[in-house]
Amino acid sequence: MKTAAETDKQRWQRETLEPALKNAPERAKTFTTISGRPIDRLYTAEDVDAVTTNNPGEFPYTRGIHPTGYRGKLWTMRQFAGFGTPEDTNARYKTLLRAGGTGLSVAYDLPTLMGRDPDHELSLGETGKCGVNVTSLADMETLFDGIALGDITTSMTINSPAAMIFAMYLVVAEKQGASWRTLSGTIQNDILKEFIAQKEYIFPPRPSMRIITDIFAFCAKEVPKWNTISVSGYHIREAGSTALQELAFTLRDGLEYVQWGVDAGLDVDDFVPRISFFFNAHSDFFEEIAKYRAARKIWAEAMRDRFGAKSDRSWKLRFHTQTAGVSLTAQQPYNNVVRTALQALAGVLGGTNSLHTNSLDEALALPTAETATLALRTQQIIAYESGVANVVDPLGGSYFVEKLTRDMEDGALAYFDQIDKMGGMVDAIERGFPQREIAESSYRFQQAFERKEKIIVGVNDFVQADDPPIEILYIDESAAETQLAKLERLKRTRDNDQVTRTLDRLRSAATTTENLMPPILDAVRVYATVGEMCDALRDVWGEYEEVPII
Amino acid sequence: MARKLRVVIAKPGLDGHDRGAKVIARALRDAGMEVIYTGLRQTPEQIASAALQEDADVVGLSILSGAHNHIAPRLMELLKAKGLDDVLVLIGGIIPDVDVPRLKALGVKGIFLPGTPMQDIIAFINTHARVRV
């Protein structure tokens, strides 16, 4: 019986729980998420008294930005792919589109990502290895040969040289006869998370931010349906952050871009609707779902209240999700199919707008065509067989999920306060604040793994000695040789005077405040290479070097 | 008393994914070694010079990008030229099985794939590395 001073939960603890615990103690003293957040035994109505009871499609969108969830349109199944030469990757795209993929997503190799041509000394051994090599417009023409850019949407993971690669894409579209005004897709273009986590930066933070605001302004006028940035938590998480840090740093990065856009004289509602996000789907199921739900609410409120955005298109946070590469194991690789399926389900239950599922062999190599297809099938099974897409936000109202959502929001806002006090995200990065926070979390997780407080099946428990090897995609040096030969031929056959002239023009534009997209487009059209264009800007701005934080 | 083992952890190539390099640097330091982390994008020349200047007993490379077949032969050659052929060289990262014998033949003593416990790497170093005099 409940006493007068007792809540129902307290009565339950006294009458039912305590005797049960005496008979059968729990498996551990404390239970935590993969991020180390303590989890209580039970959540009840008493934990969620302050839950917002908003509806999907309505501010602040905790339950989703579409009133019909996935009943109207399923998420976009967008598989990230790229390797070797543009010819190799073009063939893979055609395979993915034939298998029912509904969007393309380009993975570039490290030389392209770092703005180096294949003939640079640092490109040694890297060309075509982690993605496709694109050195000039000629490669971009090959990459999308036979794929109508007016009919598909393309996401491109490119950051420091985003303006150059995007310009190449625009010129290919133009040559195919597609109007820039109807083109749709995304460039990642998120330099802040490069400084924070993935470290593929070229120029110092401030000129890097200027390129991004130039792209915002250019697209608002010329390519209005293009997502100009995909503010990314994915890499922050892969670098070892907690779910909360991923959420907080990503959204704070988003606020930083908005602030810089406003400071550059843009109207919030002209460019914010084209900002999209990219989150990780890690293994702790409910923590991830709470993260996505909190993200929508925080963004909506920040856009309306902090920046005075009036359009609901500015308030609605749209995001892509990728399952956690870092969770995949080289040991017993078939287990990765199961991990990925659970992570993908978390993304879907969290209301993702598009999704990439990793392939089972990605702790070993880039995926084969077979494993990439299996990864896509995983999404299709969730979409068409599981029934979860029949209803909007099925976990809304779960005491646990609502409480986690609320805690995620509070935690993120506390990080915002800290970063605001430092003067914003660029300043915080220059001080090494997010970098240090992530390094701490990643080391803490490693220690928990070593102590077996966190179990990874097949790695620190349930280990199998005779793990049979699987066939992997092995990328040899032929892609590098092909790309080098093409580059040499290009430099012989293009109009090198025009190249020099446009590069000089780009160099001088970088010393002023004029928008850099037009001079970059001019250089792209005469087949200047990514390396040459980035070098022109390196001449003016120099290169960033970080002080490593261990 | 003998000095501590000195370990240079280096991240060669263009890749910026430094989670592994940083975690291992810290774990070796916590295990009582003297650790020097070079930071990102080091050429084999820079790594060999760091090994010489820092009196390294151990050089650990973190490579995830597939560039190991180019970086390792060059580094081993440079270490030899500098008279550092008794330095223990280790690679951690994503290394396809077919490449392992080739790297071992070059003189890379330990190759550690994803999921290797830090304790295994520490034990390997303690067994195989000697303080160079």
Side-chain angles (χ1 to χ4, degrees), chain A residues 169-295:
Chain A
Y169 189 88
L170 291 177
V171 175
V172 173
E174 192 177 80
K175 290 189 172 189
Q176 288 186 356
S179 155
W180 287 358
R181 303 205 68 77
T182 60
L183 281 188
S184 170
T186 307
I187 42 174
Q188 196 165 77
N189 197 25
D190 171 13
I191 200 65
L192 293 174
K193 66 93 172 55
E194 296 296 336
F195 294 116
I196 295 173
Q198 190 171 236
K199 313 290 173 76
E200 277 144 18
Y201 42 69
I202 301 176
F203 316 113
R206 288 163 205 274
S208 298
M209 291 296 283
R210 176 258 177 107
I211 308 181
I212 291 167
T213 53
D214 282 357
I215 293 172
F216 288 168
F218 176 83
C219 286
K221 275 207 203 99
E222 308 280 346
V223 203
K225 291 189 175 164
W226 195 268
N227 295 314
T228 51
I229 192 166
S230 170
V231 187
S232 305
Y234 186 80
H235 320 81
I236 291 174
R237 191 66 180 281
E238 292 285 298
S241 83
T242 63
L244 173 62
Q245 288 166 342
E246 177 195 355
L247 174 71
F249 296 157
T250 307
L251 291 183
R252 189 58 190 73
D253 283 350
L255 301 187
E256 192 80 1
Y257 291 118
V258 175
Q259 187 62 56
W260 279 65
V262 169
D263 292 347
L266 302 173
D267 183 273
V268 176
D269 288 320
D270 281 346
F271 73 101
V272 172
R274 302 286 15 141
I275 293 179
S276 63
F277 287 82
F278 173 21
F279 291 111
N280 200 298
H282 215 296
S283 297
D284 201 295
F285 193 71
F286 293 108
E287 185 172 51
E288 295 303 282
I289 295 166
K291 179 182 76 184
Y292 309 123
R293 298 174 89 250

Side-chain angles (χ1 to χ4, degrees), chain A residues 110 114 122 125-126 129-130 198-199 201 238-240 326 331 364 440 442-443 446 450 459 474 477 548-550, chain B residues 13-14 16-19 22-23 26-27 30 37 40-41 65-67 69-70 94 98-99 114-115 117-119:
Chain A
L110 281 164
M114 291 302 299
L122 276 168
E126 309 269 25
K129 287 280 166 66
C130 294
Q198 190 171 236
K199 313 290 173 76
Y201 42 69
E238 292 285 298
V326 75
Q331 297 79 5
L364 300 160
E440 270 314 308
S442 99
Y443 196 57
Q446 184 67 33
E450 304 269 333
V459 182
Y474 189 84
E477 302 310 315
I549 293 162
I550 295 174
Chain B
L14 285 172
H17 291 87
D18 57 3
R19 178 178 182 168
K22 287 159 74 165
V23 165
R26 193 156 157 185
D30 287 355
Y37 173 50
L40 297 172
R41 305 200 175 91
S65 70
N69 288 331
H70 285 271
I94 300 179
V98 295
D99 293 338
M118 296 291 129
Q119 285 312 320

